Amino acid sequence: MEIIIDGNKDLAYADAGSSLGEIIDQLQTWLQRNGRAVVTLTLDGKTLAPAAVPADVRKQKVDAYKMLDLVTLCPAELSLLTLSELAKHLPSVGSALTTAASHFQKGNLPTGMTLLGDAVTGLQVTMDTLLKVGQLQGIELSTLKVGGKSGLDAIHRLRDKLREVQAALKSKDSVTLADMAEYELAPAVKDWQELIGGLEEKIKSQQP
């Protein structure tokens, strides 16, 4: 089986008789020691989740396959890529919140609730991802500023607002939902964009 890492064919070889799982584990350990992480794993043209290769596939001998193609990134590159994707997604969250508020104001509760629910999920994902990226890079979000306050404070405020939204969704309080979507959550999207930008700059500043 041929092993390709980031387009290079001569970095690693598979010992005959080894299982695919053994080779993957060895490669990941070696890459981690060199500050890299596998982000894409392609086996004979089929892309698999690096951390979730099926057990029956891992048990197969390497001779059963022709090519293992790995794409890797260093943690900083992976973090910056993740933040870039978050930044692209945020405008659609802001638009969904504004549209949801309009539907609530017009009495169209079901559509408003669907849009708001999707937006809340997007904000939750954003919040969780920022925390994970901060941990991965050893960056305290409290050191970043958003609207003159710390990034960690912004996350705590969002958590509180999301709890209020969940309560209003359960009670189907359209007036409260409209106000929160338009005046509380939608403006906060700009704060998240600022926090993402600040985190990106912090990560870049730490690179050699």
Side-chain angles (χ1 to χ4, degrees), residues 9-202:
K9 298 181 180 181
D10 56 354
L11 294 179
Y13 301 90
D15 295 330
S18 297
S19 69
L20 180 66
E22 290 172 334
I23 295 300
I24 290 174
D25 291 344
Q26 291 170 9
L27 287 170
Q28 288 183 322
T29 298
W30 176 70
L31 287 165
Q32 286 172 359
R33 288 175 184 160
N34 287 274
R36 311 291 293 181
V38 178
V39 293
T40 302
L41 184 155
T42 305
L43 183 64
D44 285 349
K46 183 179 180 180
T47 300
L48 303 171
V53 177
D56 59 327
V57 175
R58 287 177 57 88
K59 290 178 182 177
Q60 293 292 325
K61 299 298 182 183
V62 293
D63 296 342
Y65 303 100
K66 295 180 179 179
M67 182 183 296
L68 177 64
D69 190 352
L70 305 179
V71 175
T72 74
L73 290 173
C74 72
E77 292 171 336
L78 180 58
S79 295
L80 289 171
L81 179 62
T82 300
L83 293 175
S84 176
E85 291 301 314
L86 275 184
K88 291 177 185 176
H89 176 67
L90 271 179
S92 65
V93 173
S95 177
L97 288 166
T98 302
T99 305
S102 177
H103 280 288
F104 288 134
Q105 291 161 358
K106 294 175 181 177
N108 191 353
L109 189 61
T111 302
M113 290 181 69
T114 298
L115 287 167
L116 182 56
D118 291 343
V120 166
T121 298
L123 289 171
Q124 184 71 53
V125 169
T126 299
M127 180 171 61
D128 292 343
T129 303
L130 286 171
L131 287 168
K132 289 177 182 176
V133 169
Q135 287 180 329
L136 178 64
Q137 296 300 316
I139 297 172
E140 293 288 343
L141 296 187
S142 58
T143 64
L144 303 176
K145 296 299 181 182
V146 178
K149 298 182 179 180
S150 82
L152 198 56
D153 285 343
I155 286 179
H156 291 326
R157 289 197 303 273
L158 178 62
R159 276 208 184 112
D160 292 340
K161 294 301 178 186
L162 292 182
R163 290 192 191 99
E164 293 178 29
V165 169
Q166 293 292 350
L169 282 170
K170 289 180 180 179
S171 63
K172 297 183 179 180
D173 184 346
S174 60
V175 174
T176 299
L177 289 169
D179 287 346
M180 293 203 69
E182 185 172 8
Y183 301 115
E184 299 283 351
L185 297 181
V189 169
K190 184 179 291 186
D191 290 343
W192 292 109
Q193 290 172 324
E194 184 180 344
L195 185 55
I196 288 172
L199 191 50
E200 286 175 329
E201 290 302 317
K202 192 78 170 180

